[in-house]
């Protein structure tokens, strides 16, 4: 369904602490250069005393400034993240508090489809905008992955970083062409346990931590199984998405993919037939920032002037589930 929705402003925040590939080589007892070669990440950022809501609030304020708006111009705040600051309340409410808007009454809620959370939120909320339920929505993806990494699983722990990104969306004005052309999401739950954190919910309650269940509270990933499954599905998925609106790959100015790993980005571009210049790649100095990866890459594409109004963009990624998601828009 086409929706007349416009990206009004974007912003991001990265923690001050930088963790280099060389530092992780030493920490993990690996040969020099192993982490950079395997992950494609030379620098990632880890929190020190920042919280997810603090990072999200900074990114949100920057997005509002780019849009030329105040918080009072927003009528909904959504946190679209794969991690939460605490179980209750929702992180979006904590972001509102950090923005010193506790008495605003602006509705706040969270949406979580792990790495695809931002794409899912943009898809669902654009429908609400198009129906007139809201006028302007602030979407924030803020992730602290560093606290849940399994340092004994070197193929996964070297990929991730912390940070936040925010996007303000609104209804497209008269005479403007910004719009969402098409979107698609598919979930294949045979891969549900290929990427997971089992602890923290009702299955393995936090009270069980320290009872020999510590590994259940760390990120666990079978990268080979995820890669094989994604490879079998991604080509047909993208073709169906583009064919639904009769768009050719060469018409797309920029693909903004989930920044899973350097190798994943290269293979995805080649397999799907997109040139390197069409693929937005920020993995080297950001790492995989879970759901914040796509809005961070989108923000960088805008500030680096890699896209202009009227350009066609494809937001594309995979997430735990196993899910594939894509959204085609005219910026």
């Amino acid at each position: 369904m086409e929706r007349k929705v416009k990206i009004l402003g974007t912003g991001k925040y990265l923690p001050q602490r930088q963790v280099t590939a060389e530092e992780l080589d030493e920490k993990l007892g690996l040969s020099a250069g192993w982490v950079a070669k395997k992950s494609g990440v030379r620098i990632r950022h880890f929190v020190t005393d920042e919280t997810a809501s603090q990072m999200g609030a900074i990114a949100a304020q920057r997005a509002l400034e780019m849009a030329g708006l105040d918080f009072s111009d927003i009528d909904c705040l959504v946190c679209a993240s794969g991690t939460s600051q605490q179980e209750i309340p929702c992180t979006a409410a904590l972001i509102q508090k950090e923005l010193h808007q506790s008495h605003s009454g602006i509705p706040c809620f969270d949406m979580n489809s792990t790495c695809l959370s931002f794409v899912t939120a943009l898809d669902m909320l654009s429908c609400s905008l198009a129906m007139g339920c809201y006028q302007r929505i602030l979407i924030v993806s803020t992730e602290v992955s560093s606290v849940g990494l399994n340092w004994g699983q070197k193929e996964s722990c070297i990929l991730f970083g912390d940070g936040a990104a925010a996007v303000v969306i609104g209804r497209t004005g008269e005479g403007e062409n910004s719009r969402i052309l098409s979107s698609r999401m598919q979930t294949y739950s045979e891969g549900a346990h290929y990427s997971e954190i089992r602890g923290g919910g009702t299955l393995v309650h936090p009270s069980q931590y320290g009872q020999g269940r510590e590994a259940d509270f760390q990120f666990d990933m079978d990268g080979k199984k995820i890669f094989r499954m994604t490879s079998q599905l991604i080509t047909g998925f993208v073709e169906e998405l583009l064919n639904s609106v009769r768009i050719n790959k060469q018409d797309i100015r920029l693909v903004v993919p989930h920044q899973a790993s350097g190798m994943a980005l290269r293979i995805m571009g080649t397999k799907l037939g997109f040139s390197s210049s069409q693929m937005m790649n920020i993995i080297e100095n950001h790492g995989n920032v879970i759901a914040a990866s796509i809005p961070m890459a989108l923000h960088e594409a805008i500030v680096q002037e890699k896209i202009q109004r009227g350009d066609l963009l494809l937001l594309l990624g995979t997430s735990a589930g196993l899910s594939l998601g894509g959204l085609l828009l005219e910026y």
Side-chain angles (χ1 to χ4, degrees), residues 236-249:
F237 175 84
V238 172
E239 287 177 352
E240 289 175 11
L241 175 62
L242 298 184
N243 289 341
S244 67
V245 284
R246 299 180 181 178
I247 295 293
N248 297 317
K249 292 177 183 177

Side-chain angles (χ1 to χ4, degrees), residues 26 38 70 107 124 156 174-175 234 239 250 254-255 290 295 319:
E26 184 174 350
K38 192 75 173 178
D70 296 320
M124 298 294 102
S156 67
E174 290 293 329
I234 192 70
E239 287 177 352
Q250 58 267 30
L254 200 66
V255 180
I290 316 179
S319 71

Side-chain angles (χ1 to χ4, degrees), residues 9-287:
T10 61
K12 78 168 187 177
Y13 173 83
L14 293 174
Q16 294 300 308
R17 182 188 172 197
Q18 295 186 6
V19 179
T20 66
E22 292 78 13
E23 183 178 338
L24 292 188
D25 283 333
E26 184 174 350
K27 176 183 176 70
L28 298 170
L30 301 168
S31 58
W34 191 92
V35 168
K37 181 179 180 180
K38 192 75 173 178
S39 67
V41 186
R42 296 190 177 277
I43 297 172
R44 77 281 291 142
H45 299 253
F46 284 178
V47 296
T48 49
D49 57 355
E50 301 103 328
T51 65
S53 59
Q54 288 170 345
M55 293 194 301
I58 295 171
Q61 188 59 49
R62 291 173 178 173
L64 288 169
E65 289 171 1
M66 180 185 282
L69 299 171
D70 296 320
F71 188 83
S72 59
D73 297 313
I74 301 300
D75 49 10
C76 185
L77 192 166
V78 176
C79 181
S81 300
T83 60
S84 58
Q85 183 167 313
Q86 57 189 71
E87 192 66 20
I88 297 173
C90 63
T91 305
L94 300 176
I95 293 172
Q96 186 203 65
K97 189 173 188 296
E98 289 291 341
L99 287 167
H100 307 292
Q101 299 293 334
S102 299
H103 301 291
S104 66
I106 298 300
C108 299
F109 55 90
D110 291 359
M111 299 182 73
N112 181 0
S113 56
T114 61
C115 296
L116 283 171
S117 297
F118 172 76
V119 176
T120 302
L122 180 57
D123 186 18
M124 298 294 102
L125 296 169
S126 64
C127 294
S128 295
L129 281 175
M131 292 175 63
C133 300
Y134 302 108
Q135 298 300 312
R136 300 183 189 92
I137 300 175
L138 177 56
I139 305 173
V140 184
S141 295
T142 180
E143 306 282 16
V144 180
S145 63
S146 57
V147 297
L149 299 178
N150 182 348
W151 293 104
Q153 199 176 87
K154 62 181 185 294
E155 288 82 6
S156 67
C157 68
I158 62 175
L159 299 174
F160 293 92
D162 302 336
V167 174
V168 183
I169 59 174
R171 300 173 73 180
T172 304
E174 290 293 329
E176 297 180 318
N177 295 322
S178 296
R179 56 191 173 136
I180 292 175
L181 283 78
S182 183
S183 59
R184 190 176 186 85
M185 184 175 182
Q186 295 177 344
T187 299
Y188 298 89
S189 53
E190 63 184 279
H193 299 296
Y194 294 170
S195 178
E196 62 181 348
I197 297 177
R198 292 173 293 278
T202 57
L203 178 66
V204 184
H205 191 268
S207 62
Q208 294 180 263
Y209 187 85
Q211 299 179 16
R213 305 295 299 266
E214 289 83 359
D216 287 322
F217 293 84
Q218 298 174 330
F219 181 68
D220 184 29
M221 181 177 77
D222 190 326
K224 291 181 179 178
K225 288 184 178 179
I226 291 173
F227 176 76
R228 284 198 296 267
M229 190 171 182
T230 302
S231 295
Q232 293 169 359
L233 298 169
I234 192 70
T235 301
F237 175 84
V238 172
E239 287 177 352
E240 289 175 11
L241 175 62
L242 298 184
N243 289 341
S244 67
V245 284
R246 299 180 181 178
I247 295 293
N248 297 317
K249 292 177 183 177
Q250 58 267 30
D251 297 326
I252 297 174
R253 174 65 176 176
L254 200 66
V255 180
V256 184
H258 172 51
Q259 308 289 300
S261 71
M263 182 180 297
L265 288 170
R266 290 192 300 272
I267 293 174
M268 178 185 287
T270 301
K271 187 174 184 63
L272 295 177
F274 291 111
S275 67
S276 58
S277 63
Q278 285 178 290
M279 298 288 290
M280 187 63 193
N281 188 335
I282 62 168
I283 190 78
E284 184 176 20
N285 56 0
H286 289 73

